[in-house]
Amino acid sequence: MKSLTLAALASQILPAFSFEIKVSSGGNATSGHQYGFLHEDINSSGDGGIYAELIRNRAFQYSDSFPVSLDAWHSFNNANLALNRLDTPLSKALPVSVTVSPSSDSSGAVGLFNDGYWGIDVRQQAYTGTFWVYGAYEGVFTAELRSALEDDKVFGSVEVESKAAAGEWVEHTFELTPGEDAPNSNNTFALLFDPAGLAEGEESLDFNLISLFPPTYKGRKNGLRVDVAEALAGLHPSMLRFPGGNMLEGLTNTTYWDWKDTIGPLKDRPGFQGVWGYQQTHGLGIMEYLEWAEDMDLEIVVGVWAGLALDGGLTSEEDFPAVISDGLNEIEFICGSVDTKWGAVRAELGHPEPFPLRYVEIGNEDWLAGYPAGWDSYQEYRFPLFLKAINEAYPDIVVIASGSTHDGYKNLPLEALADYES
Ligand SMILES: *[C@@H]1O[C@H](CO)[C@@H](O)[C@H](O)[C@H]1NC(C)=O
Ligand SMILES: *[C@@H]1O[C@H](CO)[C@@H](O)[C@H](O)[C@H]1NC(C)=O
Ligand SMILES: *[C@@H]1O[C@H](CO)[C@@H](O)[C@H](O)[C@H]1NC(C)=O
Ligand SMILES: *[C@@H]1O[C@H](CO)[C@@H](O)[C@H](O)[C@H]1NC(C)=O
């Protein structure tokens, strides 16, 4: 009955909807970037997600919100495990290591093993690993991929000749190719040594930055998970915005996502007090994001920190030049020539060719945190000063505001796009 009525109504109403389409030339072209990704590490989408590292809590990183712990680590063959701050840490960024010593109940090789991020995918493929050791030890280390369900089931094992020496940190690298695929992902990674090889008077060894990677997307060192990256590439996006999101802002204005902490050797990356409930490694740093964009042929949209943190911590106008200068340095790192200070740093990290950079977003959701002071300051000085500085230094870069006229940005400068401006 109802549908009949509707049909009758429709037949009466439809003719009133006839319209004419006029096609004119000109008008505003779209950017071609309506469809792409914004990535930040939320719900373990970075560490434990697209970032291919298999070892969880690989370097005992911590912050005010997330205390240092032995999460994901377990003792092998009754070894004693203890967190330790040696007088000689691996690095300033990674001050805590794990001390491993045999107990009276240990016989044979001792060590530690890791659960991975909800298990470890074990296949017949080449895994690459590294670990750092402090203390004198003669003999071999054994790196193994083992079943967590079946005692003594080892899918792959490799012996790594010790280069460990007294009083210094020594890096060891290895390749491990399992002889068979594991039937499921409930597997662990173990790192073992023979206490008989400890130097006289030594009772333990310290380990840090224990890392294991499967093959990565396009073979990048410290790269992305192949399955996840291929699935994303298959969506044919055109742009990648990073690093978020709230992650860019940080919980406080001393703990925001500082791009400078995310570059260089992993041992020099302190990690990040994540804003979504867990500590982050900073393994997925700005270089890794840029290479991700390059490998998927995506337009880069970088978000620069704009002096506002999630707790409302706000940089005054007087102090704002330092924030701008840091943002300009970041832009220079991305697209400056090798003759520039930060372009040279990028070259040193293996990418002399500047990355193409056409879009820079100032902050993230600036109308939200610390309202109304945060939003007022964005309109009064944070956005306009940033816009001016970038326009002067990089006339071809489009600057994007993180809020729009919908949020009450009445005087949004015309040349600036807004995050979701219509
Ligand atoms: C193009 O955008 C400008 C600025 O938003 C607007 O004033 C103008 O009407 C637009 N032109 C067309 C043809 O849509
Ligand atoms: C994702 O993370 C948010 C923030 O921690 C949480 O509220 C949400 O439940 C998570 N979602 C899933 C599917 O895990
Ligand atoms: C592995 O199996 C054990 C024992 O059944 C279980 O407690 C654990 O949750 C499993 N872990 C994963 C990652 O599936
Ligand atoms: C951080 O935020 C506080 C509180 O708003 C502010 O007093 C301080 O100046 C900010 N620090 C920096 C470096 O901007």
Side-chain angles (χ1 to χ4, degrees), residues 239 314 328 352:
M239 51 154 273
L314 176 64
L328 291 176

Side-chain angles (χ1 to χ4, degrees), residues 140-175:
V140 293
F141 296 98
T142 308
E144 291 185 338
L145 285 164
R146 305 174 65 97
S147 170
L149 297 172
E150 229 184 296
D151 279 350
D152 300 325
K153 176 68 190 166
V154 178
F155 297 107
S157 179
V158 67
E159 293 196 334
V160 187
E161 195 70 40
S162 170
K163 298 185 285 175
E168 58 176 314
W169 282 99
V170 181
E171 185 176 23
H172 292 73
T173 60
F174 62 90
E175 199 177 289

Side-chain angles (χ1 to χ4, degrees), residues 115-120 147-150 184-188:
D115 294 329
Y117 290 95
W118 311 281
I120 294 180
S147 170
L149 297 172
E150 229 184 296
N184 55 54
S185 59
N186 203 334
N187 308 304
T188 63

